[in-house]
Amino acid sequence: MSGQARWWAQPKDGPTVARFLNRLSSRLIALVPLGLLVALAACAPQAPIMVGAAPSGAPPDVARTRVALLLPLSGQQEALGRALQQAAELALFEQNDRRVEFVPLDTGGNAMGAGDAARRAVSLGAVGLVGPLTAGETAAAAPVGQAARLPVFAFTNDASQARPGVWTLGISPEQQIRRVMGSAMSSGARQFGMVAPDDAFGRALAAAMRQAAADFNLPGPAIVLFNERAGAAGPVAEMTRRGANPMDAVVIGATGFRARELAAAIRAGAQENPRPLLLGHALWIADAGLANEPALHGALFPAPDERARGVFDARYQQAFGERPPRIAGVAHDAAVMAAGLAVAPPGTTPDAMPRFDGVDGPVQLRANGVADRSLALFRVSPNGDAVLVEPPMPLGVGF
């Protein structure tokens, strides 16, 4: 049986040790300085990368603390779950702390499976939960973690799931809106508008804009959430009608063709008025096709600094032979934080840990479950490149 076949033959839910060492160490050899390689070589047989039977020859006096990975390792999201597990494995390999073991547990990609996986993690003696993936799964797993006093490092960007003991690590719509509105306000914008699909993301963007406008005593924003079957002209005209003043800046809460269509409609409707500044969101960083619409040239959007992301992408590809999905960076960050907490002095809480330089930039965990992130600001250029306009601001500074 080939090495790859042996990997897939291994059970995906539960203990793994040797398979990860065999897969990863040879691919990362070019990434590790020679001196560290010598040290790693000396201790590699003893270093438990994943939970399970202790490797042969491991010192018996090393206490291994378990952290559970709640991942969709079966079902429609199985491939994504595998990528998230690899990102967590990479984090633990880089830390090279043999006191920590990861236990991958399958959620099946649904809420019931996430709750079951969380209960299994408790029964296995885990001290923290990394994952699950979605807001629905987090809602099912979080009460289990809270009841057992286990910190939950969820991947979702749904801030409504954040609470003491449950940290949502995705880049939230609130963070994106405040970053891009803050930049527009610094240029004099006061009347904001938004056109976005009437879905969970669009509604979260709208709620964030209303809250930001209230916080800074701005006129009520003109927000239109539209059905996916609607054209662009109608929602844009309705937004203009609702505004108390001409629009200074408009957030387009869509991507791809729909974002381009809305931008063209906004420009056409503003021919007799000063053209409003167009604003986007973090998903635009992966949408080079936006430049095909001239109305979007110069539009601003928030996103993580791609320089930090590029370092992680290169390490992941070197280790696993493929590019990681964007959310793999969140899994890596969660794994680093959970592993660090597992070996911290007793009584240490995640919000008491120092600022963490994550895959997508600086992260600071707050006691209320919010993960503060520092986002950069980019501009859509005619050639499709995302041009850095403003670097990430220090955490706690700015809008």
Side-chain angles (χ1 to χ4, degrees):
M1 182 182 291
S2 68
Q4 185 176 14
R6 283 194 297 272
W7 153 250
W8 286 110
Q10 292 276 358
K12 300 186 182 75
D13 176 5
T16 58
V17 178
R19 73 180 187 192
F20 176 57
L21 285 172
N22 292 338
R23 283 192 304 137
L24 190 57
S25 57
S26 62
R27 288 176 173 167
L28 285 181
I29 195 167
L31 303 179
V32 183
L34 179 59
L36 180 56
L37 274 176
V38 172
L40 285 172
C43 67
Q46 291 82 30
I49 299 298
M50 304 292 285
V51 71
S56 175
D61 58 338
V62 175
R64 292 178 174 81
T65 303
R66 292 180 170 182
V67 173
L69 309 179
L70 274 53
L71 304 172
L73 300 174
S74 64
Q76 294 183 343
Q77 298 283 3
E78 179 178 349
L80 179 58
R82 177 177 63 86
L84 298 175
Q85 180 177 341
Q86 290 178 166
E89 291 172 346
L90 180 61
L92 192 54
F93 183 90
E94 291 166 342
Q95 288 195 285
N96 188 38
D97 193 329
R98 53 197 174 93
R99 296 173 295 172
V100 180
E101 302 171 331
F102 281 172
V103 186
L105 300 174
D106 185 15
T107 67
N110 59 73
M112 181 178 295
D116 290 343
R119 283 183 284 274
R120 187 175 177 197
V122 172
S123 71
L124 291 172
V127 300
L129 307 180
V130 172
L133 176 61
T134 66
E137 291 173 89
T138 302
V144 179
Q146 288 181 295
R149 299 185 179 275
L150 304 184
V152 180
F153 300 92
F155 304 156
T156 180
N157 68 354
D158 185 350
S160 69
Q161 297 298 323
R163 68 202 71 159
V166 182
W167 284 267
T168 54
L169 299 183
I171 300 172
S172 72
E174 291 85 352
Q175 292 166 335
Q176 299 173 46
I177 284 292
R178 293 183 74 87
R179 180 66 171 97
V180 78
M181 282 183 67
S183 177
M185 286 172 58
S186 68
S187 300
R190 288 189 54 79
Q191 179 66 66
F192 285 86
M194 176 186 292
V195 283
D198 189 6
D199 55 21
F201 183 63
R203 291 189 290 272
L205 290 174
M209 176 174 279
R210 292 189 184 99
Q211 184 61 56
D215 289 345
F216 290 87
N217 198 28
L218 300 176
I223 298 173
V224 175
L225 302 179
F226 56 84
N227 185 284
E228 62 179 8
R229 293 187 294 274
V236 169
E238 177 65 15
M239 177 194 65
T240 302
R241 185 188 68 79
R242 293 183 185 183
N245 305 293
M247 296 295 134
D248 296 319
V250 176
V251 171
I252 298 176
T255 56
F257 171 77
R258 181 46 65 94
R260 299 194 298 270
E261 183 184 39
L262 289 166
I266 293 169
R267 180 174 67 173
Q271 289 178 349
E272 298 178 1
N273 299 311
R275 178 184 173 189
L277 176 64
L278 297 185
L279 309 174
H281 49 84
L283 294 178
W284 282 17
I285 193 69
D287 192 353
L290 293 173
N292 295 333
E293 171 49 59
L296 282 170
H297 296 169
L300 301 177
F301 63 94
D305 188 342
E306 288 295 279
R307 292 171 295 184
R309 159 67 59 167
V311 173
F312 167 74
D313 285 352
R315 293 201 311 263
Y316 184 101
Q317 185 153 12
Q318 177 72 23
F320 303 107
E322 59 189 19
R323 287 187 62 81
R326 290 201 68 86
I327 197 171
V330 177
H332 183 277
D333 289 353
V336 170
M337 288 185 278
L341 185 65
V343 296
T348 303
T349 57
D351 54 286
M353 299 177 71
R355 189 197 76 165
F356 170 65
D357 289 326
V359 169
D360 288 320
V363 184
Q364 178 68 64
L365 301 184
R366 302 301 180 190
N368 62 358
V370 171
D372 284 346
R373 289 183 176 273
S374 183
L375 300 177
L377 196 71
F378 294 86
R379 181 178 67 245
V380 177
S381 70
N383 66 3
D385 291 338
V387 178
L388 180 66
V389 176
E390 296 177 8
M393 294 183 293
L395 290 172
V397 175
F399 182 75

